[in-house]
Each structure stands twice: as structure tokens, then as C-alpha cells.
């Protein structure tokens, strides 16, 4: 479980956002795991943060006030 919050940008009201994520993994064997993850970003009216936000910006454009989310499932096997 994780939670993050960004405050307003100086001079731009309601430009912050909150993000939370919930994940779980389950060992099938010593070398194989299943995992699931859900994450959501709640932007304020003028906030435009996406999922996967990095130093170079979001991986896709997010309109102000939107609430993008993502869900992933997978299997990890170590050889």
C-alpha cells in the first residue's frame, strides 16, 4: 500500500493531486510469484498528473482534473 500527495504549484490554485496504490504478490513456488497492482491518481481541478510521472513528465497527456488509473497482473519467474 502506498500514498503520495502533491501540493499546489505556486501561483496556480487547485493544481495538486493525490495518488494511492495497492499491490499484492503470492508465491507459487520458491522461484515463481503472481502479482496484482491497482493505482489511481486523483487530480484537483487544475492538476494534470498521470500514472508513471517522472522527471521528464508523464508517459501520456492527462487533462486537468482527470483521475487516471491502472491495473496490472503478472507472473514473475526467476531462472
Amino acid at each position: 500500500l502506498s500514498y503520495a500527495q502533491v501540493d499546489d504549484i505556486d501561483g496556480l490554485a487547485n493544481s495538486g493531486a493525490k495518488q494511492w496504490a495497492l499491490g499484492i504478490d503470492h508465491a507459487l513456488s520458491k522461484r515463481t510469484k503472481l502479482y496484482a497492482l491497482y493505482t489511481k491518481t486523483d487530480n484537483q481541478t487544475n492538476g494534470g498528473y498521470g500514472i508513471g510521472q517522472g522527471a521528464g513528465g508523464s508517459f501520456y497527456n492527462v487533462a486537468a482534473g482527470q483521475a487516471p488509473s491502472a491495473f496490472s497482473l503478472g507472473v514473475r519467474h526467476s531462472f
Side-chain angles (χ1 to χ4, degrees), residues 10-59:
D10 290 338
L12 184 58
N14 298 317
S15 59
K18 296 176 183 175
Q19 183 182 59
W20 58 272
L22 177 64
I24 189 168
D25 64 354
H26 175 72
L28 295 177
S29 70
K30 201 174 198 180
R31 300 182 319 165
T32 305
K33 291 183 180 182
L34 294 175
Y35 66 86
L37 174 70
Y38 178 77
T39 187
K40 182 174 183 179
T41 301
D42 291 318
N43 286 297
Q44 292 179 340
T45 309
N46 292 319
Y49 294 92
I51 297 169
Q53 192 78 18
S58 180
F59 295 123

Side-chain angles (χ1 to χ4, degrees), residues 59-75:
F59 295 123
Y60 55 90
N61 293 327
V62 176
Q66 296 297 304
S69 62
F71 182 76
S72 62
L73 292 171
V75 176

